[in-house]
Amino acid sequence: MRWTTICFDLDNTLYDHEKAFQKTIKAVFVSIRKQLNSEAPFVHEDRWFEVFKYHCDLFWQEYEEGSLTQEQYRIKRYEETMHVFRLPSSAREALSFHQEYEQRLPEFSELYESVPDLLESLTKSNVRLGIITNGSEELQKEKFYQLELDRWIDRRHLFISETAEAPKPKAAIFDEALQHLGSRREQALFVGDSWDHDVKGAENAGWEAFYVNTRGKKTIIRRKQ
C-alpha cells in the first residue's frame, strides 16, 4: 500500500451523524414534552424535529460567519422552534436542551456497516490509523468509545480540534497528527466527508485526501490545472 498512515474524519465519515442527530433530538424533545404543563399543545416529535432542523439550517450561515456565537445559535434555533408551536421556552432551557443532546448523542451513534471490516483490514496491513475531528473534546471522546473505535485506533491517535486549538481546515492539526503518528506527509492519507474542511485542509497540509459523499451532497469540485 502506498500509504503507511490513514486518518479519518469522525462525523458522517465513520458513522452517520445525521441519523444520530435526528434520533437524539427527538428523544430529548420527548423528555421535555413530558415535563410541559398539561395545557400545552401536544406536538409530535417528528414534526418538532422537522421545524427544528429548518431553524438549524436557517441560522447556520449567521453562525458560520460569526454573526452568532455558538451559544446564541443554539438558543435561537431552539426558541424559534418552540415559538412556532406556542410552547414555553427560555435561553436557559435552550442550553439545557443542548446539554442533554450532547450527553445522549453517543448512545444513538452507530458505525457505518462497512467501517469495521475496513478498519480491521487496514489494521492487519499494519497501516497506522488515526482520527482528526472538529468538536469538543468531551463529546468526541465519548463517541469514540461508544463506537468502540479503540478496537482499531489507539486513543492517543484521536486528534480533536478543541484540544489542538486548531480546527480543520487549519494545517496545524494535521501537522500534530503526523508528529504523534511518526509519519511523513507523502505517505499520509486523510478521508472525510467535507470538501472544504477535510479534503482542502489535508491537501494544504501536504497530505493526499479522499472525499466520501455520505450525505449525497451535490459538490462542484474544481482542481488546479
Side-chain angles (χ1 to χ4, degrees):
M1 182 178 289
R2 61 191 288 185
W3 303 289
T4 60
T5 297
I6 300 178
C7 288
F8 298 86
D9 172 51
L10 181 56
D11 301 336
N12 288 317
T13 297
L14 294 179
Y15 85 100
D16 192 337
H17 176 72
E18 299 305 310
K19 182 184 292 186
F21 173 79
Q22 181 173 338
K23 287 182 176 180
T24 310
I25 291 296
K26 287 181 180 181
V28 177
F29 173 69
V30 168
S31 69
I32 287 176
R33 189 177 62 197
K34 293 176 181 178
Q35 301 170 27
L36 293 175
N37 187 292
S38 59
E39 296 181 359
F42 177 85
V43 180
H44 195 278
E45 60 270 22
D46 289 347
R47 177 59 181 150
W48 195 92
F49 174 79
E50 182 182 332
V51 176
F52 180 76
K53 184 63 169 63
Y54 167 79
H55 287 114
C56 289
D57 297 339
L58 180 65
F59 302 127
W60 178 255
Q61 188 172 351
E62 292 180 65
Y63 170 56
E64 282 274 273
E65 294 173 347
S67 300
L68 293 174
T69 65
Q70 184 181 72
E71 183 174 291
Q72 288 171 334
Y73 171 68
R74 291 172 176 176
I75 292 171
K76 193 169 185 179
R77 66 182 183 177
Y78 178 84
E79 289 195 323
E80 290 294 331
T81 302
M82 295 294 274
H83 177 72
V84 167
F85 297 107
R86 298 181 180 179
L87 296 173
S89 67
S90 67
R92 181 183 60 80
E93 290 169 342
L95 296 177
S96 176
F97 173 87
H98 193 273
Q99 183 178 24
E100 184 177 349
Y101 159 76
E102 288 199 334
Q103 290 172 347
R104 299 190 63 181
L105 178 62
E107 71 183 79
F108 292 98
S109 301
E110 298 178 359
L111 293 173
Y112 285 118
E113 186 177 354
S114 61
V115 167
D117 287 344
L118 171 62
L119 297 180
E120 189 70 29
S121 176
L122 292 173
T123 300
K124 289 179 179 178
S125 298
N126 295 316
V127 176
R128 282 168 288 191
L129 301 177
I131 292 174
I132 302 175
T133 176
N134 286 349
S136 72
E137 180 179 11
E138 182 179 357
L139 179 57
Q140 298 304 75
K141 279 186 175 180
E142 181 64 27
K143 284 188 278 188
F144 176 79
Y145 289 115
Q146 181 70 29
L147 293 166
E148 298 183 337
L149 287 164
D150 53 329
R151 292 165 56 189
W152 306 282
I153 301 172
D154 191 310
R155 62 180 177 78
R156 295 172 296 179
H157 299 158
L158 171 62
F159 305 99
I160 305 170
S161 62
E162 184 178 70
T163 309
E165 297 182 349
K168 294 177 294 180
K170 291 185 178 180
I173 194 167
F174 294 95
D175 294 340
E176 179 180 326
L178 279 180
Q179 182 180 358
H180 283 276
L181 287 161
S183 305
R184 295 186 298 175
R185 287 178 173 80
E186 59 270 21
Q187 294 179 320
L189 172 71
F190 189 71
V191 181
D193 74 296
S194 168
W195 184 258
D196 291 329
H197 289 171
D198 297 328
V199 175
K200 286 185 178 180
E203 290 183 341
N204 289 339
W207 296 44
E208 289 194 73
F210 278 171
Y211 172 70
V212 288
N213 190 2
T214 56
R215 288 177 282 176
K217 296 173 65 176
K218 293 182 179 179
T219 304
I220 299 175
I221 299 174
R222 298 185 178 90
R223 287 195 177 275
K224 295 180 181 179
Q225 301 298 321

